[in-house]
Amino acid sequence: MKRFDAIKKIVEILDEEFVVCNIGIPSKELFHLKDRPQNFYMMGSMGLASSIALGLAISQPEKKIWCIEGDGSLLMNLGSLSTIANVNPSNLTLIVIDNGSYGSTGDQCTYTSNKTNLEVIAEGAGFKSIVKITKVEEIKYILRDLGKGCHFVLIKTNPGSALVSNIPLKPIEIKNRFMQSFTEN
Amino acid sequence: MNVDQKLYEIIKDFGIDLVLSVPCIFLKGILDLINERKEILHIPVTREEEGVGIAAGAYLGGKRPAILMQNSGLGNSINAIKSLLELYDIPVIFIMSHRGGKDEKILAQIPMGKIINKLLEVIGIKTWSIKSSKEIIKLNEAIIYSQECNCSVGVLLQKSLWSEEI
Ligand SMILES: [Mg+2]
């Protein structure tokens, strides 16, 4: 399984969820697979996807917030795991696609390809609901059955990205339609 | 009313409903008030840049966030201020204790303290400096300006603001 295969399964069950997606190729893959106003493509600020998702979760407690995060970017902002686990919103699912590499910059290895274990880090940060997925067919069943809570979902994949073009939307367009979709949904 | 109470009142009355913080000894009074009164949601963060991310997400979800931190935290936030807040037109109020000023005892604060005004200017954050309790009204101006121009602003709280009470 590669990141693209994992995102493909995630979008199959996307319904009313609001999604914050990590910088670079993950956002492009998501755009290519299923663009929708409820997707926030984070185009800069590497590392902050999970923080943006936490801000959304506390300000929109009735909505389900999903964050598609990567291993390299999560390692940039590990403190975020402590903050999220302690705030403990009941509507946030942090999906970390861990391919052991910096996929948008040429597949250089991250430390999760060697000794670092994000599942254990999440537990240490205080997450109570942690799931690790290694088989692509498990993704939709596990995500579908999570229910309310603050969840850490680790999807282990191989490195490698799909060949997808840039997102043609301007950042302001992404923001405006995303904010509008809160009032419409 | 003391300085902390005055600052708190303006933050609350001007509609700020979420505070992200990294502590400073000068901000202790106001952070205590925020925690005691429970009128403003308060999330302590592990690093200032993380606070910028949470603030941005909360703004997208309808909140009006401010970040309380030392001025040194600006250094930890610059990329997020530019490539998140500016890129998506997201306004955040940065309320900073200004360390490293004239009578700073801690040497480590001085290099960053000396350049903070220039740094804010370079990154395009309009900033108000508050030196005495008479000037606390500038915090209103900063918040209103941020709302009107839909841009992030800075407020530097000088040490003299508190020392006049001692
Ligand atoms: Mg990766």
Side-chain angles (χ1 to χ4, degrees):
Chain A
M1 163 172 45
K2 290 187 182 172
R3 187 207 306 106
F4 189 75
D5 308 306
I7 296 178
K8 205 181 213 168
K9 290 294 169 192
I10 294 168
V11 303
E12 270 179 33
I13 55 162
L14 266 185
D15 179 23
E16 59 196 3
E17 292 80 8
F18 288 77
V19 179
V20 179
C21 190
N22 188 26
I23 184 175
I25 300 178
S27 269
K28 293 187 209 176
E29 290 182 345
L30 175 63
F31 178 86
H32 176 85
L33 284 163
K34 191 174 190 173
D35 180 43
R36 54 208 269 282
Q38 300 95 323
N39 291 354
F40 183 79
Y41 306 107
M42 187 188 75
M43 298 177 131
S45 63
M46 179 168 169
L48 294 188
S50 67
S51 303
I52 296 169
L54 174 61
L56 280 165
I58 55 161
S59 55
Q60 290 283 341
E62 304 302 319
K63 311 282 195 220
K64 286 187 195 166
I65 312 295
W66 283 7
C67 176
I68 300 178
E69 181 57 296
D71 50 314
S73 46
L74 184 60
L75 286 171
M76 248 192 184
N77 185 14
L78 281 178
S80 176
L81 291 178
S82 302
T83 309
I84 293 171
N86 281 277
V87 173
N88 196 24
S90 63
N91 59 338
L92 179 57
T93 301
L94 178 54
I95 304 165
V96 182
I97 302 180
D98 179 2
N99 59 5
S101 70
Y102 294 101
S104 299
T105 54
D107 289 326
Q108 297 88 351
C109 288
T110 71
Y111 287 129
T112 68
S113 69
N114 191 6
K115 295 182 178 172
T116 300
N117 183 334
L118 291 173
E119 200 183 2
V120 177
I121 291 174
E123 194 188 347
F127 275 83
K128 292 291 172 235
S129 167
I130 298 169
V131 196
K132 182 177 173 181
I133 300 175
T134 53
K135 296 190 186 77
V136 71
E137 57 272 20
E138 293 173 340
I139 292 174
K140 69 177 181 184
Y141 300 107
I142 288 174
L143 284 180
R144 197 181 272 166
D145 294 342
L146 277 177
K148 280 200 161 211
C150 180
H151 310 289
F152 183 88
V153 178
L154 185 67
I155 305 178
K156 292 292 272 186
T157 75
N158 295 316
S161 302
L163 270 173
V164 283
S165 51
N166 285 339
I167 296 172
L169 302 169
K170 292 198 177 82
I172 302 294
E173 292 175 83
I174 293 169
K175 178 187 86 164
N176 288 342
R177 61 181 207 158
F178 185 76
M179 288 180 80
Q180 239 163 28
S181 66
F182 275 113
T183 49
E184 287 161 6
N185 287 275
Chain B
M1 254 201 277
N2 69 23
V3 162
D4 296 321
Q5 288 163 335
K6 284 180 188 162
L7 291 168
Y8 175 85
E9 194 166 66
I10 293 171
I11 290 173
K12 182 175 73 79
D13 289 350
F14 281 75
I16 290 169
D17 54 6
L18 172 66
V19 164
L20 297 317
S21 75
V22 175
C24 170
I25 190 70
F26 291 122
L27 300 174
K28 182 177 167 30
I30 184 161
L31 290 173
D32 285 348
L33 277 176
I34 292 169
N35 287 337
E36 281 161 22
R37 302 210 179 158
K38 295 185 167 54
E39 296 165 310
I40 302 167
L41 184 58
H42 176 210
I43 301 182
V45 296
T46 63
R47 182 179 159 90
E48 296 82 355
E49 183 190 31
E50 183 202 0
V52 176
I54 299 171
Y59 174 81
L60 296 175
K63 284 213 174 288
R64 305 244 309 262
I67 300 180
L68 265 63
M69 65 187 193
Q70 291 188 11
N71 66 285
S72 57
L74 191 79
N76 287 348
S77 311
I78 290 174
N79 184 55
I81 289 171
K82 299 308 273 186
S83 77
L84 179 59
L85 300 186
E86 187 176 312
L87 188 72
Y88 292 95
D89 263 351
I90 295 174
V92 173
I93 319 266
F94 290 86
I95 300 173
M96 297 166 277
S97 54
H98 186 178
R99 304 300 305 267
K102 257 182 275 159
D103 42 5
E104 177 69 54
K105 301 277 188 312
I106 299 173
L107 293 179
Q109 295 281 10
I110 293 172
M112 198 66 180
K114 272 202 300 205
I115 62 153
I116 190 68
N117 284 301
K118 272 190 206 157
L119 194 55
L120 283 157
E121 198 185 322
V122 166
I123 63 174
I125 301 271
K126 190 169 161 70
T127 300
W128 285 256
S129 172
I130 299 179
K131 298 183 202 70
S132 67
S133 57
K134 266 184 292 183
E135 294 180 350
I136 288 179
I137 191 135
K138 288 184 186 173
L139 180 56
N140 312 12
E141 283 174 38
I143 297 172
I144 290 169
Y145 183 88
S146 167
Q147 288 164 354
E148 283 175 354
C149 75
N150 201 42
C151 58
S152 298
V153 296
V155 176
L156 285 170
L157 305 175
Q158 307 298 339
K159 198 177 171 190
S160 53
L161 176 60
W162 289 279
S163 52
E164 63 182 14
E165 280 180 359
I166 298 165

